Amino acid sequence: MEARTVKEIVAFCQGLFDDLDFTRAREWKAAVPGRKVIGYMPVYVPREIIHAAGMLPLGILGGGADMEVIHGDAYYQSYICRIPRSTVELAVTGRLDFVDGMLFPSICDVIRNLSGIWRILFKEKYVRYFDAPQNFREDVGGVFYSNELREFREGLEKLAGRRIADAEINASIEVYNENRLWVNRVYDFRADFPWKAPSAEVYLLMRAGMVLPPEEHTLLMREYLSAAGAQDRPMRDNCRVVLTGVFCEQPPLNLIKSLEISGCYIVDDDFLLVCRWLLEDVQADGDPIENLSRAFLLHSAQTAAKYEADMEVKGRYLIDAIRRRRADGVIFAAPSFCDPALLDQPMMISRLDALKIPYITMQYAENSGQMQPIREQSGTFADSIKLWSSS
Amino acid sequence: MSGREVVKSNSQLVQKEMISRNYDRITDGNHKVSSTFVPGNLNELLMCFDIANNLPEINAIQNAMRKKSGDMITEAERAGHSEDVCTYVKADIGMMAKGNIAPNGKPFPNPDILLLSYTGCFTFMKWFELLREQYKCPTVMLHVPYAADGTPTRNMRDYIVRQLKEDVIPALEKVSGVRFDIDRLREYLRKSAAAEDDMVWMLESTKHRPSPIDCYFGGVYYMGPIFTAFRGTDEAIEYYRLLRLEIQERIDKGLCAQTPEGDMPEERYRLVVEGPPNWTSFRDFWHMFYESGAVVVASSYTKVGGIYDYEGFRHDPDHPLETMADYCLGVYTNRSLPTRVDMLARNIREYDADGLLINSIKSCNSFSAGQLVMMREIERITGKPAAFIETDLVDPRYFSAANVKNRLESYFQMIDQKRRLGGSSAAGV
């Protein structure tokens, strides 16, 4: 088969992104009787265990910019962020009727309580609030987390009607190690050649990983890197920024495009952290539960939803990303009413101030429509960096 | 409203004096001081180390009731804190910027330790990360897992106990220089359980018709000692004994609920309320209920610092660390939505209430996210009408008296209509 062009690959990803009926996941399920699909919300769940159960992990990130929320607003007050209401909208309109279970990670009180809403509205479905430790000692938080993972595994076994063997989880760990390797290669490629891998494309490529089986997603990323590497594109006189705060409710695709159009190459971000949560390969032999637990405790990303026990270390993850990616500045983009992002922001800003790293802040909702103010703000930011930055 | 003379019972005066005394202890310069939160408040443990217990939520409430919180919030927003986030946090940060003065007029000392009891509220974690930036003092986290399935698991309990043993107790020993004595803890827990028995009697006294007390506005005062720095003390035992006598006397005399205006002349509506009160217009808010003859017979806010009237929980001195874990796991905002629904529906039935009122708080996602679903579910289960109002904790910009009053009046009309159709008997009948 002839290799696809970048345009064709991106069009394929865009099709997956636009499809709020999740046709691709429905087809995957229908292809083999008995298959199950498990939805999960941001930031992190160990997809390896779902995959090992022969199930499809399906990332649920709200309804996006174009879905009209009709029912969802009746479930939430105006001062609560948009992702839960559009997620409820997806569910009550039948778009998630094929999803056999939902996971709600411990990211904030809104997503936490959404797990309860699911239990009330969809009593027949498997629902799990996926709690992760805020204590990162192996003998304390590690013991708790390993037991939580075992409970999670047992829940999936019950749903699958079969045992999930250690060897199966180890095989899935290898699949996801490979997937993360290529995710990181895409991110490295974008940081090195941002004009060849626009962030809207990279974003769509990663979003495809929310719907596709990981093996397929890995192949897609390889294909993209090969096509993007071979294609000449004009290099703009953009500054390089890290985009942060976008780890849960997603901004509209137009916002990502607007940032780049206005002069900011995004060279790192915290979109879809589930793809890059674990910072090193997980050991793929021995006790897989203990290995996944250790990877979470010792080698996972830092984000606002995670406690940082050492004040001196707070913010280091962001600073390291700025340095590693040779970024000129930071754009803090937080969803309106997002407690984790907005409460964390002043602390992050103080770290940047201390190092004289330029930044701007903005708020959005997944259905924000007006991009002109965003373009003006980020365009001015880019200009100021180019004119005044010492770097 | 504020011009009228406030009628206070003996127990309220005692309570006020106790809270003042705790502020004196915090600010006297003779004690190590910990800051911690009301839900998951490990007062007995702090007492083992002679550490004074300062509760930032209570400080924010005190400032709001004194009409000071608005300026503090503005101050915090000027310093870069978002309009969208918790106003308790901003009131606290703004208070620091304005000199960090305690309600007794003395400056708060910098805490010697931040005991981050991460229980039932995500914001707690960020709140103390933010305070740590200011105070640069030791901070110890106690992560309490969310009881999402309704019943806490053994794994959750063991995790909390392990954190207490490995992290929290060693940190408190280090800060205080006092060695941990588990028998001392047992003794405090024994006193906690004694006070808790009388406190539950108080909560259940509202089953009487008319109800002798209000369990939301009044409940705030009655819960004060046990939710703050007095659980585990002789003073708390004595306070709840006194309160019990006082309430029994009211029952014997057939008095309606006590309010700042005096005894409510007539009990017309019996309500269960979900959500914290608004503090900036607390008395105006209460007055709206008084005017209409509405008494709150049960509320979720009186469960926010621990639930003692649902599954019979009492602190157990024979299992000191485990019982503190159970206490933390059981606080209201750490419970799943279906459990909260069950609790409130049971309250409506057992307290023979006319319905449910939800005061939805802009600042508090832990309480508020999901309340509209809870409301519909509770209406479905009980067949009783529910109403929804929106205010905030300590931000005066989010209390619209006219809107709240309109909603309440409409709600009371709805209850009347329901009664006429035979759905609910008139209170006091």
Side-chain angles (χ1 to χ4, degrees):
Chain A
M1 202 176 80
E2 205 177 321
R4 289 185 289 186
T5 63
V6 167
K7 198 175 169 187
E8 287 167 336
I9 295 165
V10 172
F12 169 74
C13 295
Q14 179 84 49
L16 295 176
F17 174 77
D18 290 337
D19 179 14
L20 292 177
D21 288 314
F22 304 99
T23 309
R24 188 82 179 190
R26 286 175 188 272
E27 287 170 354
W28 178 89
K29 182 174 175 173
V32 178
R35 275 184 168 175
K36 301 248 186 304
V37 176
I38 302 294
Y40 62 90
M41 296 203 68
V43 174
Y44 170 74
V45 296
R47 296 183 294 179
E48 291 85 346
I49 301 176
I50 306 169
H51 182 266
M55 300 174 185
L56 177 70
L58 176 71
I60 303 291
L61 293 134
D66 298 326
M67 190 179 75
E68 192 181 359
V69 171
I70 298 166
H71 308 279
D73 282 340
Y75 290 81
Y76 284 99
Q77 301 90 314
S78 56
Y79 48 78
I80 288 174
C81 57
R82 190 174 149 97
I83 187 171
R85 70 190 73 223
S86 65
T87 302
V88 166
E89 182 81 16
L90 287 173
V92 297
T93 53
R95 289 171 169 111
L96 300 178
D97 57 2
F98 69 105
V99 175
D100 301 281
M102 275 293 284
L103 304 176
F104 299 90
S106 52
I107 171 170
C108 72
D109 294 332
V110 172
I111 299 298
R112 183 196 76 172
N113 287 6
L114 186 57
S115 72
I117 290 183
W118 228 261
R119 284 173 203 275
I120 289 171
L121 297 181
F122 308 105
K123 293 189 171 68
E124 74 287 1
K125 299 279 188 182
Y126 171 78
V127 178
R128 184 170 178 86
Y129 173 73
F130 185 78
D131 214 348
Q134 297 289 359
N135 177 304
F136 300 96
R137 285 176 56 163
E138 285 189 70
D139 59 339
V140 182
V143 174
F144 167 72
Y145 188 53
S146 294
N147 287 333
E148 289 293 298
L149 289 180
R150 286 185 194 101
E151 233 182 65
F152 174 47
R153 174 185 183 165
E154 283 163 19
L156 292 183
E157 285 176 340
K158 211 169 152 192
L159 192 63
R162 69 170 181 85
R163 296 292 306 276
I164 306 168
D166 281 359
E168 289 176 298
I169 304 178
N170 278 328
S172 296
I173 286 173
E174 282 187 355
V175 167
Y176 277 99
N177 281 345
E178 176 79 359
N179 185 262
R180 266 193 306 279
L181 173 75
W182 286 93
V183 167
N184 289 330
R185 283 185 178 168
V186 171
Y187 267 70
D188 290 345
F189 178 75
R190 180 181 64 172
D192 290 341
F193 310 102
W195 62 94
K196 289 191 169 203
S199 283
E201 285 184 8
V202 170
Y203 177 72
L204 288 171
L205 190 62
M206 295 304 148
R207 275 297 287 258
M210 301 295 102
V211 183
L212 298 174
E215 300 87 344
E216 231 179 288
H217 183 229
T218 300
L219 288 175
L220 187 69
M221 289 188 288
R222 297 178 69 151
E223 196 183 359
Y224 175 82
L225 276 181
S226 168
Q231 184 175 320
D232 275 337
R233 286 174 159 183
M235 187 169 72
R236 292 167 189 269
D237 182 25
N238 282 5
C239 68
R240 300 164 62 87
V241 301
V242 171
L243 178 66
T244 187
V246 290
F247 47 83
C248 184
E249 180 174 321
Q250 302 293 284
L253 195 58
N254 274 342
L255 189 146
I256 303 169
K257 288 178 182 170
S258 294
L259 295 180
E260 292 208 331
I261 290 167
S262 66
C264 299
Y265 279 135
I266 299 168
V267 292
D268 210 340
D269 58 57
D270 55 3
F271 284 124
L272 312 173
L273 276 179
V274 67
C275 300
R276 293 175 295 133
W277 184 257
L278 301 180
L279 302 175
E280 295 184 6
D281 275 355
V282 183
Q283 201 179 316
D285 54 16
D287 183 338
I289 296 297
E290 292 299 330
N291 290 336
L292 283 167
S293 173
R294 210 168 296 120
F296 178 92
L297 293 176
L298 307 176
H299 308 294
S300 59
Q302 186 57 263
T303 187
K306 207 170 142 186
Y307 179 61
E308 176 50 70
D310 183 351
M311 193 172 82
E312 300 304 317
V313 175
K314 181 89 190 166
R316 192 176 289 170
Y317 188 77
L318 176 62
I319 305 287
D320 285 350
I322 295 165
R323 288 184 175 143
R324 193 174 63 252
R325 301 301 193 190
R326 292 171 284 111
D328 304 305
V330 173
I331 296 179
F332 290 96
S336 293
F337 305 109
C338 175
D339 276 347
L342 291 169
L343 286 162
D344 213 49
Q345 206 175 82
M347 292 181 272
M348 293 294 112
I349 283 175
S350 72
R351 279 22 177 210
L352 299 193
D353 279 339
L355 297 169
K356 297 188 168 42
I357 296 170
Y359 61 85
I360 53 170
T361 65
M362 57 177 68
Q363 277 185 225
Y364 66 87
E366 62 179 7
N367 64 338
S368 292
Q370 285 292 324
M371 289 304 140
Q372 187 56 27
I374 300 280
R375 274 199 291 271
E376 283 170 9
Q377 190 188 3
S378 54
T380 308
F381 181 55
D383 289 345
S384 73
I385 284 176
K386 278 180 272 182
L387 285 169
W388 308 112
S389 177
S390 55
S391 59
Chain B
M1 211 70 54
S2 48
R4 277 200 301 275
E5 197 184 332
V6 178
V7 178
K8 285 197 167 140
S9 66
N10 192 24
S11 68
Q12 274 177 314
L13 295 171
V14 171
Q15 185 262 6
K16 192 178 175 195
E17 193 273 324
M18 288 167 83
I19 301 291
S20 299
R21 200 161 357 116
N22 190 50
Y23 278 118
D24 289 341
R25 187 162 187 259
I26 291 165
T27 55
D28 68 7
N30 297 324
H31 295 87
K32 299 279 184 183
V33 174
S34 156
S35 282
T36 193
F37 296 107
V38 170
N41 168 6
L42 302 177
N43 193 54
E44 301 90 343
L45 191 64
L46 291 172
M47 285 163 58
C48 290
F49 301 97
D50 303 319
I51 295 176
N53 187 352
N54 185 16
L55 298 139
E57 298 126 299
I58 304 297
N59 302 339
I61 291 169
Q62 295 278 342
N63 285 323
M65 294 177 101
R66 290 167 166 80
K67 311 285 185 199
K68 290 178 175 175
S69 58
D71 287 347
M72 292 168 174
I73 290 166
T74 309
E75 187 75 34
E77 288 175 359
R78 260 202 296 270
H81 294 270
S82 169
E83 240 187 75
D84 288 359
V85 301
C86 175
T87 51
Y88 272 165
V89 178
K90 286 185 288 188
D92 196 21
I93 287 169
M95 181 178 75
M96 274 188 262
K98 284 180 170 291
N100 221 10
I101 303 299
N104 62 1
K106 295 178 186 167
F108 275 117
N110 286 356
D112 296 284
I113 188 165
L114 297 170
L115 173 51
L116 203 182
S117 56
Y118 181 49
T119 307
C121 170
F122 171 82
T123 298
F124 285 168
M125 183 166 82
K126 295 289 118 182
W127 188 344
F128 270 17
E129 280 188 351
L130 285 162
L131 290 199
R132 184 177 63 180
E133 304 268 309
Q134 303 277 334
Y135 292 124
K136 298 181 172 48
C137 66
T139 305
V140 63
M141 150 75 91
L142 177 69
H143 174 206
V144 176
Y146 181 55
D149 292 337
T151 313
T153 64
R154 175 74 189 262
N155 187 39
M156 295 173 184
R157 186 196 219 208
D158 290 348
Y159 174 43
I160 298 170
V161 169
R162 223 171 287 127
Q163 289 175 81
L164 290 171
K165 282 182 182 167
E166 302 296 332
D167 288 332
V168 177
I169 290 172
L172 295 174
E173 280 183 328
K174 195 171 169 194
V175 162
S176 66
V178 176
R179 235 182 121 75
F180 176 58
D181 175 356
I182 200 158
D183 290 326
R184 190 174 167 189
L185 178 61
R186 283 197 177 95
E187 187 53 31
Y188 292 143
L189 292 168
R190 198 165 285 120
K191 291 178 182 176
S192 296
E196 285 157 7
D197 279 341
D198 278 343
M199 192 269 292
V200 170
W201 184 92
M202 174 273 291
L203 290 173
E204 294 182 343
S205 72
T206 56
K207 288 179 180 172
H208 284 270
R209 278 177 173 272
S211 172
I213 56 168
D214 181 282
C215 215
Y216 184 51
F217 300 104
V220 167
Y221 295 99
Y222 307 135
M223 302 310 288
I226 208 131
F227 280 5
T228 59
F230 295 92
R231 208 181 59 223
T233 65
D234 290 322
E235 295 152 288
I237 295 174
E238 181 52 28
Y239 171 79
Y240 286 101
R241 191 192 63 78
L242 172 75
L243 181 62
R244 183 173 179 157
L245 290 174
E246 193 177 284
I247 293 172
Q248 185 60 56
E249 195 182 335
R250 298 184 66 80
I251 293 169
D252 294 342
K253 290 179 178 169
L255 295 174
C256 293
Q258 193 218 337
T259 79
E261 272 76 18
D263 298 331
M264 196 180 266
E266 185 192 5
E267 178 180 295
R268 297 187 59 214
Y269 307 102
R270 294 168 65 84
L271 303 180
V272 170
V273 174
E274 148 76 8
N278 164 271
W279 300 106
T280 53
S281 300
F282 184 81
R283 228 190 118 192
D284 292 349
F285 195 15
W286 193 350
H287 186 73
M288 292 177 197
F289 285 64
Y290 170 81
E291 277 180 325
S292 303
V295 63
V296 180
V297 290
S299 69
S300 54
Y301 197 66
T302 53
K303 306 175 202 304
V304 80
I307 297 182
Y308 301 93
D309 59 343
Y310 183 56
E311 294 141 336
F313 172 80
R314 299 288 182 276
H315 280 91
D316 174 6
D318 294 333
H319 303 92
L321 299 184
E322 292 78 5
T323 201
M324 287 197 296
D326 292 342
Y327 155 74
C328 290
L329 284 161
V331 302
Y332 184 74
T333 47
N334 204 50
R335 296 299 188 99
S336 70
L337 257 54
T339 305
R340 285 166 59 181
V341 164
D342 180 59
M343 219 176 283
L344 294 169
R346 269 170 59 171
N347 280 168
I348 289 172
R349 283 194 295 256
E350 291 173 7
Y351 290 72
D352 201 12
D354 296 299
L356 173 75
L357 176 74
I358 295 181
N359 182 32
S360 188
I361 294 293
K362 175 189 174 279
S363 272
C364 185
N365 287 337
S366 180
F367 260 106
S368 302
Q371 281 177 328
L372 286 161
V373 176
M374 286 173 66
M375 181 175 76
R376 286 193 285 272
E377 189 70 359
I378 291 166
E379 279 185 321
R380 187 187 65 75
I381 293 168
T382 63
K384 296 289 173 78
F388 204 84
I389 55 175
E390 295 180 29
T391 70
D392 189 51
L393 295 166
V394 292
D395 191 337
R397 295 171 296 187
Y398 294 98
F399 186 84
S400 165
N403 280 345
V404 171
K405 197 167 189 321
N406 276 345
R407 291 264 180 112
L408 286 177
E409 284 171 358
S410 304
Y411 180 48
F412 296 138
Q413 285 169 15
M414 200 198 312
I415 293 173
D416 288 338
Q417 196 177 11
K418 189 114 180 156
R419 280 178 187 157
R420 281 195 294 276
L421 297 171
S424 173
S425 66
V429 175

